[in-house]
Amino acid sequence: MSESIAAVVLRAAELIARGLPRKAIELLQPALVVNPLHGEAWCRLAAAYLDAGEPDPALNAAKRALVLDGDPVWAQRLTALALSELGRHPEAVVAARECARRKPGDWRCQVVLAEVLANSPEGPREAVEVAREAAHLAPAEARAFQVLGDAALRVRDWGTAERAYRTALRLDPDADDVRANLATVRSKRGGAPIPPPSGEALHAAHVLVWPALSRLAALLVAGGLVLLLAGMPKPTPLLGAFSGLLVVACLVVVGLLLLKARRGVRRALLRLPAHRPKVAIVATMFWLSAVILAGWSVALLVGATTMQPLVVAWLCALIGGAVVVLGGGR
């Protein structure tokens, strides 16, 4: 049975990491009915309740874990966080200090103490110093620097907050909440814009976008040529419908690209043209071609008979396609 509960705990941890605390709770509750003495499972349940915004049952689960075999420091951290969420700040500070006393070299204890102090009425200043110690103990952990930035933000220490958030973003470029807080700090200071995406994110975006540009080149160049041949000597409204379908196909390619990209890479995609000139040229040409095609499609459907917009759209597509072919994705 111990293997079974261990597998449940592991699965619950995966669900919490994926942002599904409610499913983790539903998985753990029946397992704990059968195995009520499994301390780690109670800790996972407490963590899931905290992520779900339910501090009352989180506190109960953490207290159960405190009296069982397992990691008492983990249970102490969860207890402190639950008490803080419930507004019981003095008790939360006591629990967090006890956690830090038991394991002074554990950066997670220092992070929890900093969070609890930052939420208490008289602790924000001390929270900054405790968070500094957490960042010193764990220089490769984005969470430690995020908490330092949050604590500094509360006391309006803009310089410390900005440095901490920038370090956190360097360690975890996908942290949207950190990026938003950094923007807040910079707006308060009247500083420069948010740092650009990392080189790794830009490279990943470039690797992802070039095949999509190749597909767009094939659609617009080949499709435009077919439309040119079919539209001579005089285009018809039916041709406008086919031209509209070509524009829709291009939009589908772009949509699939955005769906495929992770959050950090998706942001890098939007800023990639500023860092990759060839991507900027190709994107501009294809955008012009698609816009002109869309306008020409509408014009044909309402009775126009001109071919000139199609020629311009095809030339734009041809220029972008040539850059794609010659660039080779490098």
Side-chain angles (χ1 to χ4, degrees):
M1 199 63 191
S2 61
E3 292 183 357
S4 177
I5 187 67
V8 169
V9 170
L10 181 60
R11 176 62 178 154
E14 293 173 353
L15 289 170
I16 294 171
R18 288 165 50 194
L20 300 170
R22 178 54 55 188
K23 290 188 177 295
I25 293 168
E26 294 171 357
L27 184 67
L28 286 165
Q29 284 177 330
L32 282 166
V33 172
V34 181
N35 301 270
L37 302 181
H38 199 283
E40 184 180 353
W42 283 109
C43 284
R44 287 292 178 199
L45 182 61
Y49 273 124
L50 282 173
D51 280 1
E54 301 181 35
D56 269 316
L59 180 59
N60 293 333
K63 286 182 175 179
R64 290 290 297 270
L66 278 173
V67 299
L68 297 172
D69 293 336
D71 186 356
V73 175
W74 186 13
Q76 196 86 36
R77 292 200 308 268
L78 294 166
T79 300
L81 290 172
L83 287 168
S84 181
E85 290 292 324
L86 289 168
R88 296 161 61 177
H89 300 299
E91 296 172 78
V93 171
V94 170
R97 289 193 192 281
E98 176 61 18
C99 174
R101 185 192 66 79
R102 289 187 177 189
K103 278 193 176 180
D106 190 332
W107 68 273
R108 293 167 297 183
C109 293
Q110 301 296 331
V111 161
V112 169
L113 178 56
E115 287 184 281
V116 168
L117 286 168
N119 290 329
S120 65
E122 300 177 358
R125 290 286 176 187
E126 184 183 356
V128 177
E129 299 307 316
V130 175
R132 285 187 201 275
E133 177 62 19
H136 174 73
L137 291 171
E141 294 291 340
R143 178 62 181 161
F145 288 94
Q146 180 181 358
V147 171
L148 174 56
D150 292 345
L153 183 61
R154 284 180 177 267
V155 298
R156 297 177 175 271
D157 185 348
W158 310 126
T160 299
E162 181 176 351
R163 288 190 295 272
Y165 285 141
R166 291 185 64 173
T167 304
L169 275 179
R170 178 173 56 81
L171 295 170
D172 181 12
D174 293 338
D176 290 333
D177 50 348
V178 175
R179 193 174 296 276
N181 286 347
L182 178 57
T184 299
V185 171
R186 287 183 173 276
S187 67
K188 296 290 185 182
R189 301 186 71 187
I194 298 174
S198 65
E200 292 82 1
L202 288 171
H203 175 72
H206 190 273
V207 170
L208 193 62
V209 80
W210 206 259
L213 292 177
S214 298
R215 287 189 285 272
L216 287 173
L219 280 171
L220 290 170
V221 175
L225 183 59
V226 170
L227 289 172
L228 279 170
L229 296 174
M232 294 180 179
K234 182 178 179 181
T236 64
L238 182 60
L239 194 65
F242 284 107
S243 176
L245 289 176
L246 179 60
V247 175
V248 171
C250 294
L251 293 176
V252 169
V253 172
V254 175
L256 291 175
L257 171 65
L258 294 176
L259 286 175
K260 186 177 179 181
R262 294 181 294 108
R263 284 186 303 173
V265 176
R266 194 177 301 131
R267 289 195 303 270
L269 280 173
L270 300 177
R271 303 184 68 176
L272 187 63
H275 301 270
R276 300 289 191 274
K278 285 187 293 186
V279 173
I281 294 171
V282 174
T284 301
M285 291 296 102
F286 287 171
W287 179 81
L288 285 173
S289 178
V291 169
I292 295 170
L293 273 177
W296 183 65
S297 301
V298 174
L300 288 183
L301 292 174
V302 297
T305 58
T306 179
M307 289 284 288
Q308 290 179 349
L310 176 59
V311 174
V312 175
W314 185 73
L315 289 175
C316 290
L318 193 62
I319 293 171
V323 175
V324 171
V325 172
L326 296 176
R330 292 188 297 274

